[in-house]
Amino acid sequence: MDFGWLGGDIGWFLPGQLGGAMTYSNREPKREWVEIPITGAVVEHPEARILFDTGISPDAMKTHEKGLMEAFPIIKMGEENHIEKQLGLLGLKPEDIDFVVISHLHLDHVGQASVFRDAKVPLIVQRRELESALSMIWQGKSGAYDYSDLLPLKGARWMTLDDPVFEIVDGVSVEFTGGHTAGHQVMNVETEKGNRYTMTGDFLHLPREYEVEAKGWLLSDAQEWNSYIKKMKIREAARRQKLIISHDPGIWDKYPHAPKYVE
């Protein structure tokens, strides 16, 4: 599902010299501006329809903290990128979704979740993620969390998890990773064809992070991140696990837009 595009400094995603940081011998490194897609996915399962992430609020440039939107401005957002339109490509309405899995509560992953509130669709998130996001907002250190996203979700049907791994239905599970945020989680899916996919959320923003095993400024816990990326590589080698990196600039060359699907 295509929820539009954001822009940002490469340093948010890649560290040190890879991200253009100053060094002793180079005090004026070349900065790089990157533009990344905002994506989500629906899993069609005999027992449930599961949505992974909800994109960014179409009004974020007006409603969110100015500094946040200066750092991560919306580059592309049309009516076609609204979640109702994206679900419509699949012949679905918000109330047709049985569960919404939110990788974490940053603005570009929870921004359109409010459309599921009135239908009382369960929002599956790690308990520590919800607690951390609210705590940071109350302290005025919200970073990429924004009160405009969470206030409309007060009273929503939150389903908070403490499990390292939780299977929602056969072949579809969420797994705590941490690393990027205090309660970040990914979703693992095994299809009818026997293919296995991991939807990475923001554990990985760019394929280059996976290649060099390093992350930029958007890193919460380095030990958690380094531990989990090793697990990803073991799985890829042993089980041919495929990664769907949510913000991969080349994602639409690798995977199809809705209503087409992966097998």
Side-chain angles (χ1 to χ4, degrees):
M1 299 173 70
D2 179 0
F3 296 132
W5 288 70
L6 288 181
D9 190 304
I10 190 67
W12 293 109
F13 316 120
L14 291 170
Q17 287 181 301
L18 292 172
M22 287 191 293
T23 63
Y24 179 73
S25 58
N26 183 9
R27 307 297 175 90
E28 297 182 358
K30 180 181 178 182
R31 305 300 315 149
E32 182 182 350
W33 182 260
V34 295
E35 296 182 356
I36 57 177
I38 311 167
T39 64
V42 171
V43 175
E44 291 271 6
H45 190 280
E47 297 173 7
R49 292 189 181 99
I50 303 167
L51 172 67
F52 182 74
D53 281 341
T54 68
I56 193 167
S57 168
D59 298 323
M61 295 298 290
K62 299 177 182 178
T63 59
H64 287 42
E65 290 288 337
K66 182 178 179 180
L68 176 58
M69 301 317 298
E70 280 285 315
F72 301 108
I74 296 176
I75 302 300
K76 175 186 174 294
M77 168 65 74
E79 187 176 346
E80 71 275 10
N81 302 117
H82 293 200
I83 198 163
E84 296 93 336
K85 292 290 187 180
Q86 288 294 304
L87 289 173
L89 295 175
L90 302 172
L92 300 175
K93 300 184 294 294
E95 56 267 31
D96 295 324
I97 298 298
D98 296 294
F99 300 101
V100 177
V101 173
I102 303 174
S103 61
H104 63 303
L105 297 172
H106 279 172
L107 76 161
D108 52 326
H109 295 263
V110 72
Q112 299 188 62
S114 61
V115 304
F116 300 100
R117 178 184 168 172
D118 291 343
K120 293 296 182 182
V121 178
L123 307 180
I124 298 176
V125 67
Q126 292 287 321
R127 176 184 57 80
R128 70 181 72 182
E129 178 68 11
L130 182 58
E131 292 177 351
S132 176
L134 293 174
S135 175
M136 291 178 71
I137 288 173
W138 299 158
Q139 294 178 70
K141 302 176 180 178
S142 55
Y145 299 116
D146 197 280
Y147 189 58
S148 298
D149 291 322
L150 296 183
L151 179 60
L153 296 174
K154 186 176 181 180
R157 194 179 176 191
W158 291 98
M159 297 290 185
T160 54
L161 302 179
D162 290 296
D163 312 66
V165 180
F166 178 77
E167 188 171 55
I168 302 172
V169 292
D170 289 346
V172 182
S173 62
V174 291
E175 182 177 12
F176 168 76
T177 67
H180 172 57
T181 64
H184 188 279
Q185 61 185 357
V186 298
M187 189 164 77
N188 299 311
V189 179
E190 182 173 359
T191 70
E192 287 182 326
K193 297 286 188 179
N195 296 315
R196 297 183 176 97
Y197 297 92
T198 294
M199 299 176 187
T200 71
D202 278 3
F203 184 83
L204 296 169
H205 289 84
L206 305 174
R208 182 70 171 148
E209 296 170 42
Y210 187 68
E211 295 169 13
V212 300
E213 296 186 21
K215 197 167 189 67
W217 303 324
L218 290 170
L219 179 64
S220 171
D221 188 309
Q223 183 175 349
E224 287 177 342
W225 195 86
N226 287 320
S227 174
Y228 192 78
I229 200 166
K230 299 298 185 186
K231 295 177 185 179
M232 279 184 159
K233 292 202 168 184
I234 290 170
R235 287 173 177 168
E236 184 183 44
R239 301 169 58 194
R240 298 185 182 275
Q241 191 94 350
K242 298 178 182 180
L243 301 179
I244 300 180
I245 300 175
S246 299
H247 293 301
D248 177 2
I251 192 169
W252 299 125
D253 295 324
K254 301 171 184 176
Y255 298 104
H257 287 81
K260 296 180 179 179
Y261 56 90
V262 296
E263 296 183 338

